[in-house]
Amino acid sequence: MNAAQRSPTSRLWGVYEHIAMVLGLSSLALVCLTWTPLALALYPVLPNGIGRWLGRQAIMRGFRIYVGILRTVCACRFDLAEIDQLRDQGPMVIAANHPSLLDAVLITSRLPNAVCFMKADIMDNPLFGAGARMARYVRNDHLLSAVLACRRELADGAQLVIFPEGTRTLGYPANRLNALSRSTALIAARAEVPVQTLLVEFSSPYLGKGWPLWRKPRLPLTCRVRLGKRFEAPRDSRAFTHELEAYFRAELAASVPPLASTAAA
């Protein structure tokens, strides 16, 4: 689709945006529902190592299919190439800002050994829960047990994906970042691994905090994910959290969110 040929304000383009939204959400549901019965059946019987590997491969490949559908038929433009540089760099905490529900999908679609630090209600969701448990993702409802679980996964070589804001950014893009929690620092300090930052920027607040699931996006939708600074394993979690938040705020304030046609397809 060429936005220059079809005005985003035209009625025809508005109809297409509705259709693209339904196609996108239906595709995500189909990808998850295809894997859920297999994950439910295999999780109790497979050895931990095999189950963990299979679960993470299934999520990465399933989300790649979904991202491909968004690119091909839903006028979405994603620039995710810099994430690929992390694939062979060993265990680390990967900390990203969180403007949209799509963030975790886009990041995990590029990393074969990623573990997400997730809200407990998402782990209990019928659509996502079985696959997340199979991949040994970590739920966040009990901090101490969550930190210990993250340390175990990192010791086994995983890369932990976490959103230090704890929830999606409120009021994006006018507000570029919420206050950060200390969970990132606690996990990295206990596991003694570095913290790699990712800077996630969207052209639209689509699926951000407060965006209704069935409200159509403004297309084309673009997203760019950049590698940020890598910090050594923290020693003082409180001081590190302040330093991390200041870094994110400075980087995001200095950049301009991508326009609809600037990100790579």
Short mmCIF file of all heavy atoms in Angstrom, two decimals, residues 53-114:
data_model
loop_
_atom_site.label_atom_id
_atom_site.label_comp_id
_atom_site.label_asym_id
_atom_site.label_seq_id
_atom_site.Cartn_x
_atom_site.Cartn_y
_atom_site.Cartn_z
N TRP A 53 13.58 -25.11 25.20
CA TRP A 53 14.06 -24.77 23.85
C TRP A 53 12.90 -24.74 22.85
O TRP A 53 12.77 -23.79 22.06
CB TRP A 53 15.11 -25.81 23.40
CG TRP A 53 15.56 -25.60 21.99
CD1 TRP A 53 16.53 -24.75 21.55
CD2 TRP A 53 15.03 -26.24 20.81
NE1 TRP A 53 16.65 -24.82 20.17
CE2 TRP A 53 15.75 -25.72 19.70
CE3 TRP A 53 14.04 -27.20 20.59
CZ2 TRP A 53 15.48 -26.14 18.39
CZ3 TRP A 53 13.77 -27.60 19.29
CH2 TRP A 53 14.50 -27.08 18.21
N LEU A 54 12.06 -25.77 22.90
CA LEU A 54 10.95 -25.83 21.95
C LEU A 54 9.97 -24.67 22.17
O LEU A 54 9.49 -24.06 21.20
CB LEU A 54 10.22 -27.17 22.10
CG LEU A 54 9.03 -27.40 21.16
CD1 LEU A 54 9.49 -27.36 19.70
CD2 LEU A 54 8.36 -28.74 21.47
N GLY A 55 9.69 -24.36 23.44
CA GLY A 55 8.77 -23.27 23.73
C GLY A 55 9.27 -21.93 23.20
O GLY A 55 8.50 -21.15 22.64
N ARG A 56 10.56 -21.66 23.38
CA ARG A 56 11.10 -20.37 22.92
C ARG A 56 11.20 -20.32 21.39
O ARG A 56 10.97 -19.27 20.78
CB ARG A 56 12.47 -20.13 23.57
CG ARG A 56 12.34 -19.92 25.07
CD ARG A 56 13.65 -19.87 25.80
NE ARG A 56 13.40 -19.91 27.25
CZ ARG A 56 14.34 -20.03 28.18
NH1 ARG A 56 15.61 -20.13 27.83
NH2 ARG A 56 14.02 -20.06 29.46
N GLN A 57 11.54 -21.44 20.78
CA GLN A 57 11.56 -21.48 19.32
C GLN A 57 10.16 -21.25 18.74
O GLN A 57 9.99 -20.53 17.75
CB GLN A 57 12.10 -22.83 18.84
CG GLN A 57 13.59 -23.01 19.02
CD GLN A 57 14.39 -22.16 18.04
OE1 GLN A 57 14.06 -22.07 16.88
NE2 GLN A 57 15.45 -21.52 18.54
N ALA A 58 9.17 -21.88 19.35
CA ALA A 58 7.80 -21.74 18.85
C ALA A 58 7.32 -20.30 18.95
O ALA A 58 6.68 -19.77 18.03
CB ALA A 58 6.87 -22.66 19.63
N ILE A 59 7.63 -19.64 20.07
CA ILE A 59 7.21 -18.24 20.23
C ILE A 59 7.93 -17.35 19.22
O ILE A 59 7.31 -16.50 18.56
CB ILE A 59 7.48 -17.78 21.67
CG1 ILE A 59 6.47 -18.44 22.62
CG2 ILE A 59 7.39 -16.25 21.78
CD1 ILE A 59 6.71 -18.16 24.09
N MET A 60 9.24 -17.53 19.07
CA MET A 60 9.98 -16.69 18.12
C MET A 60 9.44 -16.87 16.70
O MET A 60 9.16 -15.89 16.00
CB MET A 60 11.47 -17.04 18.15
CG MET A 60 12.30 -16.18 17.21
SD MET A 60 14.03 -16.69 17.09
CE MET A 60 13.87 -18.23 16.18
N ARG A 61 9.26 -18.10 16.29
CA ARG A 61 8.83 -18.35 14.91
C ARG A 61 7.37 -17.96 14.70
O ARG A 61 6.98 -17.44 13.65
CB ARG A 61 9.09 -19.81 14.54
CG ARG A 61 10.57 -20.14 14.55
CD ARG A 61 10.87 -21.60 14.24
NE ARG A 61 12.27 -21.90 14.43
CZ ARG A 61 13.24 -21.58 13.56
NH1 ARG A 61 12.91 -21.01 12.42
NH2 ARG A 61 14.50 -21.85 13.83
N GLY A 62 6.53 -18.22 15.70
CA GLY A 62 5.13 -17.82 15.58
C GLY A 62 4.98 -16.31 15.48
O GLY A 62 4.21 -15.81 14.65
N PHE A 63 5.73 -15.59 16.31
CA PHE A 63 5.65 -14.12 16.25
C PHE A 63 6.28 -13.59 14.96
O PHE A 63 5.88 -12.53 14.47
CB PHE A 63 6.32 -13.51 17.47
CG PHE A 63 5.46 -13.58 18.72
CD1 PHE A 63 6.01 -13.34 19.98
CD2 PHE A 63 4.11 -13.88 18.65
CE1 PHE A 63 5.23 -13.39 21.13
CE2 PHE A 63 3.32 -13.94 19.80
CZ PHE A 63 3.88 -13.70 21.03
N ARG A 64 7.26 -14.28 14.42
CA ARG A 64 7.81 -13.85 13.12
C ARG A 64 6.76 -13.96 12.02
O ARG A 64 6.67 -13.11 11.13
CB ARG A 64 9.03 -14.70 12.75
CG ARG A 64 10.28 -14.27 13.47
CD ARG A 64 11.51 -14.88 12.84
NE ARG A 64 12.70 -14.41 13.52
CZ ARG A 64 13.93 -14.55 13.05
NH1 ARG A 64 14.14 -15.16 11.89
NH2 ARG A 64 14.96 -14.10 13.72
N ILE A 65 5.98 -15.03 12.07
CA ILE A 65 4.90 -15.17 11.09
C ILE A 65 3.90 -14.02 11.25
O ILE A 65 3.48 -13.39 10.27
CB ILE A 65 4.19 -16.53 11.27
CG1 ILE A 65 5.15 -17.67 10.90
CG2 ILE A 65 2.91 -16.59 10.45
CD1 ILE A 65 4.63 -19.05 11.23
N TYR A 66 3.55 -13.73 12.50
CA TYR A 66 2.60 -12.64 12.77
C TYR A 66 3.15 -11.29 12.29
O TYR A 66 2.44 -10.51 11.64
CB TYR A 66 2.31 -12.62 14.27
CG TYR A 66 1.54 -11.42 14.73
CD1 TYR A 66 0.26 -11.15 14.22
CD2 TYR A 66 2.06 -10.57 15.70
CE1 TYR A 66 -0.45 -10.04 14.65
CE2 TYR A 66 1.35 -9.48 16.14
CZ TYR A 66 0.10 -9.21 15.61
OH TYR A 66 -0.60 -8.12 16.04
N VAL A 67 4.41 -11.02 12.61
CA VAL A 67 5.03 -9.76 12.17
C VAL A 67 5.06 -9.69 10.64
O VAL A 67 4.84 -8.64 10.03
CB VAL A 67 6.44 -9.62 12.77
CG1 VAL A 67 7.20 -8.45 12.15
CG2 VAL A 67 6.35 -9.43 14.28
N GLY A 68 5.32 -10.83 9.99
CA GLY A 68 5.31 -10.87 8.53
C GLY A 68 3.95 -10.53 7.96
O GLY A 68 3.84 -9.83 6.94
N ILE A 69 2.89 -11.01 8.61
CA ILE A 69 1.53 -10.69 8.16
C ILE A 69 1.27 -9.18 8.31
O ILE A 69 0.70 -8.54 7.42
CB ILE A 69 0.50 -11.51 8.97
CG1 ILE A 69 0.64 -12.99 8.61
CG2 ILE A 69 -0.92 -11.02 8.70
CD1 ILE A 69 -0.17 -13.92 9.51
N LEU A 70 1.68 -8.63 9.44
CA LEU A 70 1.48 -7.18 9.65
C LEU A 70 2.21 -6.38 8.58
O LEU A 70 1.69 -5.38 8.08
CB LEU A 70 1.98 -6.78 11.04
CG LEU A 70 1.22 -7.33 12.24
CD1 LEU A 70 1.81 -6.79 13.54
CD2 LEU A 70 -0.26 -6.99 12.18
N ARG A 71 3.42 -6.81 8.24
CA ARG A 71 4.18 -6.10 7.21
C ARG A 71 3.53 -6.23 5.83
O ARG A 71 3.49 -5.27 5.05
CB ARG A 71 5.60 -6.67 7.15
CG ARG A 71 6.53 -6.14 8.23
CD ARG A 71 7.87 -6.84 8.15
NE ARG A 71 8.91 -6.09 8.84
CZ ARG A 71 9.98 -6.64 9.37
NH1 ARG A 71 10.16 -7.94 9.30
NH2 ARG A 71 10.90 -5.89 9.96
N THR A 72 3.03 -7.42 5.53
CA THR A 72 2.58 -7.71 4.17
C THR A 72 1.20 -7.14 3.86
O THR A 72 1.00 -6.58 2.79
CB THR A 72 2.57 -9.24 3.96
OG1 THR A 72 3.87 -9.76 4.25
CG2 THR A 72 2.19 -9.58 2.52
N VAL A 73 0.29 -7.28 4.79
CA VAL A 73 -1.10 -6.91 4.47
C VAL A 73 -1.67 -5.81 5.36
O VAL A 73 -2.79 -5.36 5.13
CB VAL A 73 -2.04 -8.14 4.52
CG1 VAL A 73 -1.60 -9.18 3.52
CG2 VAL A 73 -2.12 -8.72 5.92
N CYS A 74 -0.93 -5.37 6.39
CA CYS A 74 -1.50 -4.41 7.34
C CYS A 74 -0.76 -3.08 7.36
O CYS A 74 -0.91 -2.30 8.31
CB CYS A 74 -1.53 -5.01 8.75
SG CYS A 74 -2.58 -6.48 8.88
N ALA A 75 0.06 -2.81 6.34
CA ALA A 75 0.74 -1.51 6.20
C ALA A 75 1.55 -1.14 7.43
O ALA A 75 1.55 0.02 7.86
CB ALA A 75 -0.29 -0.41 5.88
N CYS A 76 2.25 -2.12 8.01
CA CYS A 76 3.13 -1.86 9.15
C CYS A 76 4.58 -1.90 8.69
O CYS A 76 4.95 -2.72 7.85
CB CYS A 76 2.92 -2.90 10.26
SG CYS A 76 1.30 -2.77 11.06
N ARG A 77 5.38 -1.01 9.21
CA ARG A 77 6.80 -0.92 8.86
C ARG A 77 7.62 -1.07 10.14
O ARG A 77 7.48 -0.26 11.06
CB ARG A 77 7.12 0.43 8.21
CG ARG A 77 6.21 0.76 7.02
CD ARG A 77 6.58 -0.06 5.79
NE ARG A 77 5.75 0.32 4.65
CZ ARG A 77 4.65 -0.33 4.28
NH1 ARG A 77 4.26 -1.40 4.96
NH2 ARG A 77 3.96 0.06 3.23
N PHE A 78 8.45 -2.11 10.21
CA PHE A 78 9.22 -2.37 11.41
C PHE A 78 10.72 -2.36 11.09
O PHE A 78 11.15 -3.03 10.14
CB PHE A 78 8.86 -3.75 11.99
CG PHE A 78 7.41 -3.88 12.37
CD1 PHE A 78 6.63 -4.89 11.82
CD2 PHE A 78 6.82 -3.00 13.26
CE1 PHE A 78 5.30 -5.03 12.16
CE2 PHE A 78 5.49 -3.11 13.59
CZ PHE A 78 4.72 -4.13 13.05
N ASP A 79 11.48 -1.64 11.87
CA ASP A 79 12.93 -1.65 11.77
C ASP A 79 13.48 -2.32 13.03
O ASP A 79 13.63 -1.68 14.08
CB ASP A 79 13.45 -0.22 11.64
CG ASP A 79 14.96 -0.18 11.40
OD1 ASP A 79 15.60 -1.25 11.45
OD2 ASP A 79 15.50 0.92 11.19
N LEU A 80 13.77 -3.62 12.92
CA LEU A 80 14.17 -4.43 14.09
C LEU A 80 15.57 -5.00 13.93
O LEU A 80 16.01 -5.81 14.74
CB LEU A 80 13.18 -5.60 14.27
CG LEU A 80 11.69 -5.23 14.26
CD1 LEU A 80 10.84 -6.50 14.32
CD2 LEU A 80 11.35 -4.31 15.43
N ALA A 81 16.30 -4.58 12.91
CA ALA A 81 17.57 -5.23 12.56
C ALA A 81 18.59 -5.16 13.69
O ALA A 81 19.39 -6.10 13.87
CB ALA A 81 18.14 -4.60 11.29
N GLU A 82 18.60 -4.08 14.46
CA GLU A 82 19.62 -3.97 15.51
C GLU A 82 19.45 -5.02 16.61
O GLU A 82 20.41 -5.38 17.28
CB GLU A 82 19.61 -2.55 16.10
CG GLU A 82 20.09 -1.49 15.11
CD GLU A 82 20.37 -0.15 15.77
OE1 GLU A 82 20.50 -0.10 17.00
OE2 GLU A 82 20.48 0.86 15.03
N ILE A 83 18.23 -5.50 16.82
CA ILE A 83 18.01 -6.54 17.84
C ILE A 83 18.80 -7.79 17.50
O ILE A 83 19.30 -8.50 18.39
CB ILE A 83 16.51 -6.87 17.97
CG1 ILE A 83 15.70 -5.63 18.28
CG2 ILE A 83 16.29 -7.92 19.05
CD1 ILE A 83 14.20 -5.88 18.29
N ASP A 84 18.95 -8.09 16.22
CA ASP A 84 19.64 -9.31 15.80
C ASP A 84 21.09 -9.36 16.30
O ASP A 84 21.65 -10.44 16.45
CB ASP A 84 19.63 -9.43 14.28
CG ASP A 84 18.23 -9.64 13.73
OD1 ASP A 84 17.32 -9.99 14.53
OD2 ASP A 84 18.02 -9.45 12.52
N GLN A 85 21.69 -8.21 16.56
CA GLN A 85 23.07 -8.19 17.04
C GLN A 85 23.22 -8.82 18.42
O GLN A 85 24.33 -9.18 18.82
CB GLN A 85 23.58 -6.74 17.08
CG GLN A 85 23.60 -6.04 15.73
CD GLN A 85 24.01 -4.59 15.86
OE1 GLN A 85 24.79 -4.22 16.73
NE2 GLN A 85 23.50 -3.75 14.97
N LEU A 86 22.12 -8.98 19.15
CA LEU A 86 22.19 -9.51 20.51
C LEU A 86 22.12 -11.03 20.56
O LEU A 86 22.38 -11.64 21.61
CB LEU A 86 21.05 -8.92 21.36
CG LEU A 86 20.97 -7.40 21.46
CD1 LEU A 86 19.75 -6.98 22.26
CD2 LEU A 86 22.24 -6.86 22.09
N ARG A 87 21.78 -11.66 19.47
CA ARG A 87 21.42 -13.08 19.50
C ARG A 87 22.53 -13.97 20.04
O ARG A 87 22.27 -14.95 20.73
CB ARG A 87 21.03 -13.55 18.10
CG ARG A 87 19.81 -12.85 17.57
CD ARG A 87 19.44 -13.35 16.21
NE ARG A 87 19.17 -14.78 16.21
CZ ARG A 87 18.42 -15.39 15.32
NH1 ARG A 87 17.86 -14.71 14.36
NH2 ARG A 87 18.23 -16.69 15.36
N ASP A 88 23.78 -13.68 19.73
CA ASP A 88 24.88 -14.56 20.13
C ASP A 88 25.76 -13.92 21.20
O ASP A 88 26.93 -14.29 21.35
CB ASP A 88 25.73 -14.90 18.90
CG ASP A 88 24.92 -15.62 17.84
OD1 ASP A 88 24.10 -16.49 18.21
OD2 ASP A 88 25.08 -15.30 16.65
N GLN A 89 25.23 -13.00 21.95
CA GLN A 89 26.05 -12.27 22.92
C GLN A 89 25.85 -12.73 24.35
O GLN A 89 26.25 -12.04 25.29
CB GLN A 89 25.80 -10.77 22.78
CG GLN A 89 26.23 -10.23 21.42
CD GLN A 89 26.24 -8.72 21.36
OE1 GLN A 89 26.21 -8.04 22.38
NE2 GLN A 89 26.31 -8.18 20.16
N GLY A 90 25.24 -13.89 24.55
CA GLY A 90 25.18 -14.50 25.87
C GLY A 90 24.13 -13.89 26.77
O GLY A 90 23.37 -13.01 26.38
N PRO A 91 24.09 -14.39 28.02
CA PRO A 91 23.04 -13.94 28.95
C PRO A 91 23.17 -12.48 29.32
O PRO A 91 24.27 -11.98 29.54
CB PRO A 91 23.25 -14.85 30.17
CG PRO A 91 24.65 -15.33 30.07
CD PRO A 91 24.98 -15.41 28.61
N MET A 92 22.05 -11.84 29.39
CA MET A 92 21.98 -10.42 29.78
C MET A 92 20.53 -10.08 30.07
O MET A 92 19.61 -10.81 29.66
CB MET A 92 22.52 -9.52 28.67
CG MET A 92 21.69 -9.55 27.41
SD MET A 92 22.34 -8.49 26.07
CE MET A 92 23.86 -9.35 25.65
N VAL A 93 20.34 -8.97 30.77
CA VAL A 93 19.00 -8.42 30.93
C VAL A 93 18.80 -7.39 29.82
O VAL A 93 19.62 -6.48 29.67
CB VAL A 93 18.83 -7.75 32.32
CG1 VAL A 93 17.50 -7.02 32.39
CG2 VAL A 93 18.91 -8.81 33.42
N ILE A 94 17.74 -7.55 29.05
CA ILE A 94 17.42 -6.62 27.97
C ILE A 94 16.25 -5.76 28.43
O ILE A 94 15.13 -6.24 28.56
CB ILE A 94 17.08 -7.38 26.67
CG1 ILE A 94 18.28 -8.22 26.22
CG2 ILE A 94 16.65 -6.41 25.58
CD1 ILE A 94 17.99 -9.12 25.04
N ALA A 95 16.54 -4.50 28.70
CA ALA A 95 15.55 -3.58 29.27
C ALA A 95 15.08 -2.60 28.19
O ALA A 95 15.89 -1.93 27.56
CB ALA A 95 16.14 -2.81 30.44
N ALA A 96 13.76 -2.54 27.99
CA ALA A 96 13.19 -1.68 26.94
C ALA A 96 12.09 -0.80 27.51
O ALA A 96 11.40 -1.19 28.46
CB ALA A 96 12.63 -2.53 25.81
N ASN A 97 11.92 0.39 26.93
CA ASN A 97 10.72 1.18 27.25
C ASN A 97 9.52 0.50 26.61
O ASN A 97 9.65 -0.40 25.77
CB ASN A 97 10.89 2.62 26.79
CG ASN A 97 11.10 2.74 25.29
OD1 ASN A 97 11.98 2.05 24.74
ND2 ASN A 97 10.34 3.57 24.63
N HIS A 98 8.30 0.92 27.02
CA HIS A 98 7.13 0.08 26.73
C HIS A 98 5.94 0.91 26.22
O HIS A 98 4.92 1.03 26.91
CB HIS A 98 6.75 -0.64 28.02
CG HIS A 98 5.84 -1.81 27.85
ND1 HIS A 98 5.54 -2.38 26.64
CD2 HIS A 98 5.16 -2.55 28.79
CE1 HIS A 98 4.71 -3.39 26.82
NE2 HIS A 98 4.46 -3.51 28.11
N PRO A 99 6.03 1.44 24.98
CA PRO A 99 4.93 2.28 24.50
C PRO A 99 3.70 1.52 24.00
O PRO A 99 2.63 2.11 23.85
CB PRO A 99 5.56 3.07 23.35
CG PRO A 99 6.69 2.23 22.88
CD PRO A 99 7.20 1.51 24.10
N SER A 100 3.82 0.20 23.70
CA SER A 100 2.72 -0.52 23.05
C SER A 100 2.71 -1.99 23.45
O SER A 100 3.74 -2.56 23.84
CB SER A 100 2.88 -0.43 21.52
OG SER A 100 1.98 -1.27 20.85
N LEU A 101 1.53 -2.62 23.31
CA LEU A 101 1.44 -4.07 23.52
C LEU A 101 2.30 -4.85 22.53
O LEU A 101 2.64 -6.00 22.78
CB LEU A 101 -0.02 -4.52 23.38
CG LEU A 101 -0.94 -4.41 24.59
CD1 LEU A 101 -2.34 -4.85 24.18
CD2 LEU A 101 -0.43 -5.26 25.74
N LEU A 102 2.62 -4.23 21.40
CA LEU A 102 3.38 -4.94 20.38
C LEU A 102 4.86 -5.09 20.73
O LEU A 102 5.58 -5.88 20.10
CB LEU A 102 3.27 -4.20 19.03
CG LEU A 102 1.92 -4.26 18.33
CD1 LEU A 102 1.92 -3.35 17.11
CD2 LEU A 102 1.58 -5.69 17.92
N ASP A 103 5.35 -4.36 21.72
CA ASP A 103 6.79 -4.35 22.02
C ASP A 103 7.36 -5.75 22.23
O ASP A 103 8.37 -6.15 21.64
CB ASP A 103 7.10 -3.51 23.27
CG ASP A 103 6.54 -2.12 23.18
OD1 ASP A 103 6.30 -1.65 22.07
OD2 ASP A 103 6.32 -1.53 24.25
N ALA A 104 6.74 -6.49 23.16
CA ALA A 104 7.27 -7.81 23.50
C ALA A 104 7.23 -8.75 22.29
O ALA A 104 8.15 -9.55 22.08
CB ALA A 104 6.46 -8.41 24.66
N VAL A 105 6.18 -8.64 21.49
CA VAL A 105 6.07 -9.47 20.29
C VAL A 105 7.22 -9.18 19.32
O VAL A 105 7.88 -10.10 18.81
CB VAL A 105 4.71 -9.24 19.59
CG1 VAL A 105 4.68 -9.93 18.23
CG2 VAL A 105 3.57 -9.71 20.47
N LEU A 106 7.47 -7.91 19.09
CA LEU A 106 8.51 -7.53 18.13
C LEU A 106 9.90 -7.96 18.63
O LEU A 106 10.72 -8.45 17.86
CB LEU A 106 8.48 -6.02 17.90
CG LEU A 106 7.18 -5.47 17.28
CD1 LEU A 106 7.24 -3.96 17.19
CD2 LEU A 106 6.95 -6.08 15.90
N ILE A 107 10.17 -7.78 19.91
CA ILE A 107 11.50 -8.12 20.45
C ILE A 107 11.71 -9.63 20.47
O ILE A 107 12.75 -10.14 20.01
CB ILE A 107 11.68 -7.52 21.85
CG1 ILE A 107 11.67 -5.98 21.77
CG2 ILE A 107 12.96 -8.01 22.51
CD1 ILE A 107 11.59 -5.29 23.12
N THR A 108 10.75 -10.38 20.98
CA THR A 108 10.94 -11.84 21.08
C THR A 108 10.91 -12.51 19.70
O THR A 108 11.40 -13.63 19.57
CB THR A 108 9.87 -12.48 21.98
OG1 THR A 108 8.57 -12.10 21.52
CG2 THR A 108 10.05 -12.03 23.41
N SER A 109 10.38 -11.83 18.69
CA SER A 109 10.39 -12.43 17.35
C SER A 109 11.80 -12.48 16.77
O SER A 109 12.03 -13.15 15.76
CB SER A 109 9.47 -11.64 16.41
OG SER A 109 10.05 -10.40 16.04
N ARG A 110 12.76 -11.77 17.40
CA ARG A 110 14.14 -11.73 16.88
C ARG A 110 15.12 -12.51 17.74
O ARG A 110 16.29 -12.68 17.35
CB ARG A 110 14.64 -10.27 16.79
CG ARG A 110 13.70 -9.30 16.12
CD ARG A 110 13.29 -9.72 14.74
NE ARG A 110 14.44 -9.99 13.86
CZ ARG A 110 14.33 -10.38 12.61
NH1 ARG A 110 13.13 -10.58 12.08
NH2 ARG A 110 15.41 -10.60 11.87
N LEU A 111 14.72 -13.01 18.92
CA LEU A 111 15.66 -13.61 19.86
C LEU A 111 15.28 -15.07 20.14
O LEU A 111 14.20 -15.33 20.69
CB LEU A 111 15.68 -12.82 21.17
CG LEU A 111 16.12 -11.36 21.05
CD1 LEU A 111 15.91 -10.63 22.37
CD2 LEU A 111 17.58 -11.27 20.60
N PRO A 112 16.15 -16.03 19.81
CA PRO A 112 15.79 -17.44 19.96
C PRO A 112 15.84 -17.96 21.39
O PRO A 112 15.30 -19.04 21.67
CB PRO A 112 16.84 -18.15 19.10
CG PRO A 112 18.02 -17.23 19.09
CD PRO A 112 17.45 -15.84 19.15
N ASN A 113 16.48 -17.24 22.30
CA ASN A 113 16.60 -17.75 23.68
C ASN A 113 16.14 -16.68 24.67
O ASN A 113 16.78 -16.45 25.70
CB ASN A 113 18.05 -18.16 23.96
CG ASN A 113 18.17 -19.03 25.19
OD1 ASN A 113 17.18 -19.59 25.68
ND2 ASN A 113 19.37 -19.17 25.72
N ALA A 114 15.02 -16.05 24.35
CA ALA A 114 14.51 -14.96 25.20
C ALA A 114 13.53 -15.50 26.24
O ALA A 114 12.73 -16.40 25.97
CB ALA A 114 13.82 -13.91 24.33
#
